[in-house]
Amino acid sequence: MSLWELVLIFVFCICVAVTIWLYARVRSMVRVGKALDELSRGIRHKKYFFGNSKASRRWAGFIEGLAARLEQLEDQVQKEAYDLKALLENMAEGVAIVDENHVIQEANLAVGRLFGIKEVLIGRSVLEVFRNADLEIILRKAIDSGKRQQCEISVTTDQSQERVVEASVTPIIHPSTREAHARRGAILLFHDITEFKRVENVRREFVTNVSHELRTPLSVFRGYLEILLAQRRVDISELHRILSIMNKHVSRLTSLVDELVDLARLETGRVGLEPLVIKVPELLERIVNDWRLILKESQQEIELICPRELPLLEADPARMEQVMHNLLENASKYSEPHTRITVRAEHRDHVIRITVSDQGMGIPAQDLPYIFDRFYRVDKSRSRDRGGMGLGLSIVKQIIELHGGRIWAESQLEVGTTIYLELPLMPE
């Protein structure tokens, strides 16, 4: 065999070896590319094999580490998304996230509850969902200015209930810049402030009512004192009339102050009960007999329905008389002449239930849950004319709760109102 033949054979072998090596490398790289493509589509394997070479094993180890890291990141993202969703769904406040085009991207269930919306919110514009121009305006201002905006929204639900919702809009800004182009929408926070507004109105009305209650007798005192000071001699009959009027207003002021002090002491727990074993039929008979004489002037009747065999009750008799007098006074005050007031007592399970029913004008359904709140009055002008300050039922509620009982009311307009008291029986 000649030298050229040997050279050719050698060159051929080298070419074959290089070809095999290149084929193995290309095949390995194809496998690597396929694995990376699967990773991009979320397909992962625990082990990868691209060949027996050192480079192939190194590539396999690199991709396995990358797959493990991607799996950790996915788990972390899923956990954070779950925590965020759980946080949003368990918030009492409504939260919605909108983009720069005012389209809702995320919203919790509280938003639907607050606004009475049952349709899907995501993917719809803020104006389309809430139909409130003020909200749209402050949303635009917040995104344009990069500053938090706030307003109050009146909402009417499907049950025709009026709610006041405080809307707060906070723009979403990239932390590295404050430029306008970095703003990517806003977070809307809705908070129901209906109860806060109601309490605020009650307090405002209380100041007005107390001022009115104080102004009237003080004006009377001042007027009559000026008359007495201006006249050296006053006829005895005229003097008696003036003093009678002043005494009437003094009694009214004293009653108002006593009620305010009594309520304050009851609410702060500074009033201690003096419980005794009492017989409910005897207590109610005594109170009803007193009120029969009082109701003759208003041409009203009172009826007592109470079995004699009621169990004994442990309660403060003076406070229970105060409760019954307040309830009977309200029943008489808001009822017309020739109507009947019924007091009923009965034994139910482990309590004694006492009810006071009248045939008066009744209480509107929307006011019924609040009649035991202090200073709350159903009809302000009507209560003022009849001398009510909205404290009696609040005092009654405090006394009953101090006894471990409960109180509630049922009413129907132009039919009447019934107040229910339940007091626990003495332990055997």
Side-chain angles (χ1 to χ4, degrees):
M1 183 177 296
S2 65
L3 179 60
W4 286 105
E5 290 176 341
L6 290 174
V7 171
L8 288 173
I9 292 172
F10 178 73
V11 170
F12 176 76
C13 291
I14 290 176
C15 290
V16 170
V18 170
T19 302
I20 294 173
W21 180 80
L22 288 174
Y23 174 75
R25 293 297 299 272
V26 170
R27 186 178 180 185
S28 177
M29 293 306 297
V30 169
R31 290 178 177 176
V32 170
K34 183 179 179 182
L36 291 174
D37 180 64
E38 288 178 345
L39 275 180
S40 68
R41 292 185 285 112
I43 302 174
R44 292 187 296 270
H45 304 284
K46 291 184 178 180
K47 291 292 183 181
Y48 289 89
F49 179 75
F50 305 127
N52 293 318
S53 65
K54 185 177 180 181
S56 298
R57 290 195 296 270
R58 189 164 57 248
W59 272 105
F62 170 73
I63 294 179
E64 286 173 2
L66 182 61
R69 180 57 180 163
L70 286 175
E71 186 173 1
Q72 290 177 358
L73 290 175
E74 285 185 1
D75 291 342
Q76 183 178 353
V77 169
Q78 289 179 358
K79 182 179 182 302
E80 290 178 354
Y82 175 80
D83 292 343
L84 178 60
K85 187 174 181 62
L87 176 65
L88 289 177
E89 295 304 332
N90 286 281
M91 288 180 64
E93 294 80 8
V95 179
I97 302 173
V98 302
D99 61 16
E100 62 272 19
N101 297 318
H102 303 184
V103 176
I104 299 174
Q105 303 298 316
E106 190 66 55
N108 64 353
L109 296 176
V111 176
R113 288 197 299 266
L114 280 176
F115 290 89
I117 302 173
K118 298 180 181 179
E119 297 84 4
V120 177
L121 303 179
I122 297 175
R124 301 167 63 189
S125 70
V126 170
L127 190 59
E128 176 191 359
V129 170
F130 301 107
R131 300 181 183 278
N132 189 282
D134 292 337
L135 181 60
E136 178 70 15
I137 290 172
I138 67 166
L139 175 58
R140 189 176 302 278
K141 283 184 179 179
I143 295 178
D144 292 343
S145 66
K147 297 180 180 179
R148 180 172 172 268
Q149 304 291 329
Q150 191 171 326
C151 73
E152 292 182 4
I153 302 172
S154 296
V155 180
T156 303
T157 62
D158 295 340
Q159 292 79 22
S160 299
Q161 295 178 343
E162 291 290 338
R163 284 181 179 173
V164 182
V165 177
E166 183 182 67
S168 176
V169 182
T170 304
I172 301 174
I173 303 176
H174 195 277
S176 62
T177 178
R178 307 291 294 183
E179 297 298 328
H181 67 269
R183 295 162 199 159
R184 295 293 181 263
I187 298 175
L188 278 64
L189 179 65
F190 301 103
H191 182 60
D192 189 351
I193 58 172
T194 307
E195 185 64 18
F196 172 78
K197 285 290 185 181
R198 187 189 67 80
V199 173
E200 185 180 0
N201 290 335
V202 169
R203 289 176 179 173
R204 189 182 300 113
E205 289 171 0
F206 165 67
V207 174
T208 304
N209 295 336
V210 170
S211 301
H212 174 83
E213 294 293 330
L214 294 175
R215 187 184 298 114
T216 302
L218 289 176
S219 299
V220 171
F221 294 157
R222 183 175 181 178
Y224 281 120
L225 286 174
E226 289 176 353
I227 293 174
L228 293 176
L229 291 173
Q231 298 181 10
R232 294 182 178 181
R233 293 183 179 182
V234 181
D235 184 70
I236 190 66
S237 60
E238 179 67 11
L239 180 62
H240 184 270
R241 185 184 70 83
I242 291 174
L243 293 178
S244 297
I245 294 174
M246 293 177 71
N247 181 64
K248 176 183 176 182
H249 286 281
V250 167
S251 300
R252 186 174 181 181
L253 278 178
T254 304
S255 176
L256 171 61
V257 173
D258 288 343
E259 284 186 341
L260 288 171
V261 172
D262 207 7
L263 180 60
R265 294 175 62 196
L266 285 167
E267 289 185 339
T268 55
R270 289 183 293 174
V271 174
L273 298 178
E274 298 180 3
L276 297 174
V277 178
I278 61 175
K279 297 179 180 180
V280 176
E282 294 182 2
L283 174 71
L284 295 181
E285 281 179 3
R286 185 170 64 252
I287 295 172
V288 168
N289 288 334
D290 291 341
W291 271 89
R292 279 199 176 95
L293 300 175
I294 299 172
L295 294 177
K296 280 186 178 180
E297 297 181 4
S298 56
Q299 298 179 344
Q300 295 169 334
E301 297 180 359
I302 187 168
E303 178 185 14
L304 175 63
I305 303 175
C306 178
R308 303 295 303 179
E309 63 275 7
L310 280 180
L312 297 175
L313 186 67
E314 187 176 16
D316 186 329
R319 288 296 179 181
M320 289 307 301
E321 286 188 14
Q322 183 180 4
V323 165
M324 295 305 301
H325 282 299
N326 273 340
L327 295 180
L328 290 172
E329 182 180 3
N330 275 354
S332 173
K333 186 187 301 180
Y334 299 111
S335 297
E336 300 299 328
H338 310 293
T339 57
R340 180 186 297 271
I341 298 171
T342 303
V343 178
R344 186 188 303 270
E346 56 186 334
H347 178 205
R348 284 177 169 252
D349 297 330
H350 302 291
V351 299
I352 287 181
R353 175 181 290 183
I354 301 173
T355 61
V356 178
S357 304
D358 62 53
Q359 298 173 340
M361 57 188 70
I363 302 171
Q366 65 269 20
D367 292 306
L368 204 56
Y370 308 113
I371 63 172
F372 296 103
D373 294 356
R374 56 180 179 175
F375 316 126
Y376 189 85
R377 299 185 305 176
V378 176
D379 187 335
K380 282 68 181 177
S381 59
R382 180 185 73 180
S383 299
R384 179 175 294 166
D385 293 339
R386 303 194 182 212
M389 274 297 297
L391 296 174
L393 287 179
S394 183
I395 292 174
V396 167
K397 181 175 183 287
Q398 293 291 333
I399 293 174
I400 295 301
E401 289 180 350
L402 281 176
H403 282 84
R406 66 189 189 108
I407 182 171
W408 72 98
E410 294 179 356
S411 185
Q412 189 174 350
L413 288 176
E414 307 302 330
V415 175
T417 301
T418 300
I419 305 293
Y420 295 84
L421 312 175
E422 281 189 352
L423 295 165
L425 293 174
M426 290 178 56
E428 295 182 1

